[in-house]
Amino acid sequence: MYLIFSVHWVYFQVPVDLVIDHSVQVDVARSENAVQANMELEFQRNKERFTFLKWGSNAFRNMLVVPPGSGIVHQVWGSNAFRNMLVVPHGSGIVHQVNLKYLGRVVFNREGLLYPDSVVGTDSHTTMIDGLGVAGWGVGGIEAEATMLGQPMSMVLPGVVGATIANMSPDYGATMGFFPVDHVTLQYLKLTGRSDETVAMIEAYLRAINMFVDYNEVGLLCYPQLWVFYLRPKRPHDRVPLKEMKSDWHSCLDNKVGFKGFAVPKDRQEKVVNFSFHGQDAELKHGNVVIAAITSCTNTSNPSVMLGAALVAKKACDLGLHVKPWVKTSLAPGSGVVTKYLLQSGLQKYLNQQGFKIVGYGCTTCIGNLDESVSSAISENDIVAAAVLSGNRNFEGRVHPLKRANYLASPPLVVAYALAGTVDIDFEKEPIGVGKDGKNVYFRDIWPSTEEIAEYRSTYIHEPPYFKDMTMNPPGLARVKDAYCLLNFGDSITTDHVSPAGTIHKDSPAAKGTYADICIVTKLLNGEVGPKTIHIPTGEKLSVFDAAMKYKSAGQDTIILAGAEYGSGSSRDWAAKGPHVGVKAVIAKSFERIHRSNLVGMGIVPLCFKAGEDAETLGLTGHERFTIDLPDKISEIRPGQDVTVRTDTEKSFTCVVRFDTEVYSAFYCFLVIL
């Protein structure tokens, strides 16, 4: 007999966000279609489960469901922390960095009543929110279900033993690893869209109740040391310094069976097993790495370690080192954002070449399936094989029943050990392998410096400098008076001359600033080719960007003289934004239409010489200083009006202001304040 009833009216008593994904089983690795193939298998295995949860997303109120393919199973609730949450699109990545830290309030303001934010969740990664100063901890699923339906949640207040990192505090036996709010937290809140008023309120409230911590009150942890120097052998809370890894491994082989012992007789510790891996000759020894996995949002939400891993892979590729094909390598980012910055930086291809192709989004290698030939070689010869993963679970048998040595390590170390192919190595003294030039390659040769990692951090997204001094009330029209000529061009200067497209080398002029094309020619340098100009007051030859900055720092406006067809080409947006380094006007024979309108949108005046005139016919060299007699009042700005341009050499000529419509006039009037 079945009991059937409608639950469309049922409320959860507190807001609930349910993320369907759980540990992703990596059936397909080292393949371009690994993500799609693993996801298809996931849907096949869990069809009924997903169908039920789909029904539940419509049946219950006060609950939002994040669909499969978006990240780890994660139920989050808390009447203080969340209201509604947008449904994350298919394949978006783990919910923790996608939503938790974005939605966390830090301080709640409910109709003027202020109180600290808090959240509880059924996933062990919930404690990541503690790094933002939000009290968050994990609970069991059964307790969660009862609480969702209104049952009070109780707990024994934990003892406070000191401060440490928030990530994965359950693994070292703590309820949470709370890190108080400091100035870095406030910076993060601003970067993720919180208003200045909200951030100021958070700081003022937390200071008032003594919950704000200044830098001089805490001992800061040097996180890079963790991802360079430590591994964790059989339990998440154990650790082995990297320099002691080899000796510790041999102790494990000798010790009796236990959490740090395998009891391998001395005469069998150097045993070599030869086998065939898909037609290739392969071999295994005790300590050989058979699984190397970059996984878990704990680590993959950290751009530094992910870029570090990619740089290890790149350096190895450059030197000719490669991971053995029988090592099961995989990369499971916690978020699609990771994929984007690895692709945009050009580093993902090096991870691919080393076998670390993306297999899915979520926690993986909790179930580390192995190729049958590798499994047979291990089981038939009683080999103590190793797995190295950046996850948060490495209890014996958890990763794979045949792998008794499971080491947790940072993503860069995962790649390094995959390249070495064994944990039985002293990275300080022994080479990882032999490079393409026949020379030994050591750990120090492939390990990236902090500076190298910093070079690959995003330079793409910045607050535009032209917004920094913006006020709500425009002060009126800005005057262009005694401006210097930054550049004096001939005909057909394109937007690509202004803002080069394609690959830009980090040491090139284009990486530093605008007007940086190597083919650019300014008459100020008498036909010399290259992105330089003359700084008129000093006579110095400088890069265009440096000259512009020198003018700007001295409070001096600049203009540009140009010939016909100024601004033709592509990359128009940045070609208009680039001159916003103090350039107030461009005086040309003619403009490309879209670039001209873009200049207006950036508060730069486009002026055209009168028919039959240009800089040469007027005897302008570019060494003059220019004053443009624009109207004093906004109401006097009209489309297509004539204005007078005067120089300090007592020359005067008339130009047409190319505000061709009233809309462009209005744009300029409000944007000149920038």
Side-chain angles (χ1 to χ4, degrees), residues 489-498 519-521 561-569 588-592:
F489 290 133
D491 295 340
S492 300
I493 291 295
T494 71
T495 51
D496 294 303
H497 287 112
V498 182
C519 298
I520 203 168
V521 178
L561 296 175
E565 300 175 349
Y566 181 81
S568 55
K589 290 180 68 174
S590 63
F591 290 89
E592 192 276 335

Side-chain angles (χ1 to χ4, degrees), residues 475-481 585 605-607 627-646 654-659 664-666 668-670 672:
L477 288 176
R479 302 301 304 232
V480 182
K481 184 177 181 180
V605 184
L607 300 171
T627 296
I628 302 173
D629 292 334
L630 290 168
D632 292 327
K633 297 180 181 179
I634 291 176
S635 60
E636 296 176 355
I637 293 284
R638 300 187 309 277
Q641 70 186 117
D642 289 347
V643 297
T644 300
V645 180
R646 296 177 288 107
T654 302
C655 288
V656 179
V657 181
R658 293 301 305 274
F659 300 150
Y664 290 125
S665 298
Y668 175 74
C669 291
F670 285 100
V672 289

